[in-house]
Amino acid sequence: NKTALWLHTLERMLGWDTLQRILSTYFTRYAFRHPAPENFFAGTTEGSGTVRVIPSGRHSVRDRTRGRRDASGALHLDQIVMEEGKPDRRRTWRLERAGGNRVTGTISDARGRVSGEIDGNTLHLSYRLEEGPSVEQWITLHRGGRSASNRMVFRRYGVRVATVETVLRRVD
């Protein structure tokens, strides 16, 4: 059977103690549930990609995010965004399930609440920045759960003024 062969191969490559620790951690974290997109952020992630501002052009963006869950299950993110040509900026997020697949929360540079929903392996968020633009954001987990695509669309008065496309990777 393929699963037994795969586990035996991992045991030979990593050793029994390491494999047992990995499987135990996985089971403890995901017992009786499927990993959800928001679980991707518990730990450290790094992202890199491109910002496209209309009409001024493209430039690079990177971020480093540290996430943790509190006792209520809410996700807290501390993020540093490094955008080419701008000073680094710090953002803090707090997201929580609001019943079913709905998500709500706050972001330090957003005006008002963040709202969203989870559909399969995609987390879709909507919010308005303090600077004015509204943001639609889609974070889609890739197969294996160690990376994700992040797409953001910024609009002013309903007109798209910028997009961000990044790939996010789990560091730990």
Side-chain angles (χ1 to χ4, degrees):
N1 130 356
K2 290 180 184 179
T3 304
L5 179 61
W6 177 74
L7 288 170
H8 183 68
T9 302
L10 282 175
E11 180 183 353
R12 281 185 294 145
M13 291 173 57
L14 303 172
W16 172 248
D17 292 337
T18 301
L19 180 60
Q20 186 178 21
R21 229 177 17 257
I22 290 168
L23 292 175
S24 177
T25 299
Y26 182 84
F27 180 78
T28 300
R29 188 175 291 165
Y30 299 113
F32 310 113
R33 62 188 172 151
H34 293 288
E38 69 265 37
N39 292 337
F40 174 78
F41 290 99
T44 303
T45 60
E46 292 180 342
S48 63
T50 304
V51 176
R52 182 172 174 253
V53 180
I54 302 165
S56 61
R58 298 174 187 260
H59 59 274
S60 66
V61 64
R62 295 181 301 121
D63 67 77
R64 183 168 179 89
T65 305
R66 181 81 182 140
R68 64 178 173 75
R69 289 202 177 267
D70 66 19
S72 73
L75 179 64
H76 295 264
L77 302 175
D78 294 310
Q79 181 180 51
I80 298 173
V81 178
M82 299 151 279
E83 191 173 340
E84 185 180 342
K86 296 184 178 182
D88 293 357
R89 66 184 184 279
R90 174 171 246 110
R91 301 175 83 197
T92 56
W93 301 56
R94 184 181 187 281
L95 299 174
E96 61 187 337
R97 290 280 183 133
N101 289 335
R102 292 179 304 131
V103 175
T104 187
T106 58
I107 304 175
S108 57
D109 60 352
R111 185 181 340 150
R113 302 286 293 172
V114 173
S115 64
E117 66 179 352
I118 296 170
D119 183 13
N121 63 339
T122 299
L123 172 61
H124 174 222
L125 299 173
S126 300
Y127 51 96
R128 181 173 299 281
L129 292 175
E130 287 178 349
E131 304 169 343
S134 63
V135 180
E136 293 284 322
Q137 182 171 9
W138 297 267
I139 300 167
T140 303
L141 286 181
H142 298 158
R143 175 173 262 155
R146 300 286 304 165
S147 63
S149 298
N150 177 43
R151 175 169 169 74
M152 301 170 73
V153 176
F154 297 78
R155 295 181 190 280
R156 282 190 188 270
Y157 308 109
V159 177
R160 184 174 54 176
V161 294
T163 57
V164 173
E165 301 272 350
T166 60
V167 174
L168 310 171
R169 290 183 177 74
R170 285 203 49 125
V171 175
D172 62 3

